[in-house]
Every structure is written in structure tokens, then in C-alpha cells.
Amino acid sequence: MFRITRRSLLLAGLAATAGRSLRAETLPRIYVAKDATCPCCSAWVDYLLADGFPVIVTVLEAEPLDALKTERGIPGEARSCHTAFVDGYFLEGHVPVADVQRLLAERPDGLGLAVPGMPFGSPGMGLESEAEAYDVLLVGRDGSLTVFSSYPAA
């Protein structure tokens, strides 16, 4: 019969913590640039953190944030409320973690991913059970936009 002791609880706790630390160390850091007043941007950051990504947030005023998007080659029709950077790519808007993971695994030739606008039901934008349909776009080096993945309406 197994007895629960302080030692077994301590070892179980260390094992659980070690697993989380290892995961955080293996995932690349995501740098997020966002406006100070946008609660959905903060919700997307929380979503990334919950999935184990280490995140660093920089708050910018609207004009410098827009200039950053222009400098990084994010076309106007692909823009959203916040911009993030991970491992040589940008993530514009409410990009799902599954697409971030796929981007990092497949490493397509492009600048990054974008979820234009702020579609309801995308990560950080309300209930998935009431989501509207939206596409995640791959932004090519020439500014072209191709569908990387699609999410149906709920």
C-alpha cells in the first residue's frame, strides 16, 4: 500500500515544477508590442502564458506601434491591434497558439502570421462558442497574403 508522506509530496511537486520549467525553457520567447488601453491584447498575452510561452510586453502609443508594423512589412489589410515577434517571424493580432506552433515547426518562407481585425472568438476576443469565422494569413516577403489556416464560425 502506498503511503503519502511529506517526502513523496515534495518529490511530486518538484517533478511537476520541473516539467513546467522545462517546457518554458524550450518554447521561444514572444515579444508583444501593444497599446496600453487594449484589454483584448492583454487577454491574448494571458492566453500565450497559459500555453507556456514566455512573453515580454512593451507598451507603445498608437503612432510608434503603427510605425513598427510598417517597418516590419505588415500590410495595412493584415493589421490588427497588437504585434508580436517570435523566432524571426511576426504575429499580428489574435493568432491561435496552434498556428504559432505550426509556424515554428514548418518555418515557411514568409514574414509572419496575421489575423486581420479583431474577429470575435479568436484567442482573447470572447467566447469560442460564439466565434465568427476567420482566417490566419501567412504574409509573404513580397507582402502577399495566403490562407495559413481557417477557423469556422461556432
Side-chain angles (χ1 to χ4, degrees):
M1 181 168 136
F2 179 74
R3 283 188 13 194
I4 297 177
T5 65
R6 279 196 287 173
R7 182 169 189 246
S8 64
L9 284 174
L10 177 62
L11 289 173
L14 286 173
T17 303
R20 270 187 258 129
S21 297
L22 180 61
R23 182 172 180 211
E25 289 173 8
T26 60
L27 291 173
R29 182 170 284 126
I30 297 179
Y31 297 88
V32 179
K34 69 178 212 68
D35 182 272
T37 61
C38 187
C40 68
C41 298
S42 297
W44 187 71
V45 167
D46 291 342
Y47 164 78
L48 294 173
L49 289 167
D51 234 281
F53 280 95
V55 179
I56 294 178
V57 177
T58 300
V59 176
L60 296 174
E61 296 294 325
E63 200 170 297
L65 184 57
D66 190 53
L68 177 66
K69 294 170 190 282
T70 300
E71 175 187 305
R72 293 301 181 105
I74 302 171
E77 62 271 23
R79 292 187 183 182
S80 186
C81 50
H82 57 266
T83 303
F85 303 96
V86 61
D87 209 19
Y89 292 102
F90 67 72
L91 305 170
E92 179 69 11
H94 296 264
V95 178
V97 163
D99 293 306
V100 175
Q101 292 168 333
R102 180 177 158 211
L103 175 76
L104 296 173
E106 294 180 6
R107 309 235 17 113
D109 186 28
L111 297 176
L113 298 179
V115 175
M118 298 166 66
F120 192 81
S122 61
M125 285 298 301
L127 304 172
E128 284 184 47
S129 61
E130 299 175 18
E132 60 189 34
Y134 67 95
D135 292 327
V136 177
L137 305 175
L138 175 66
V139 179
R141 295 191 184 284
D142 62 355
S144 62
L145 303 174
T146 57
V147 175
F148 188 75
S149 63
S150 294
Y151 292 84

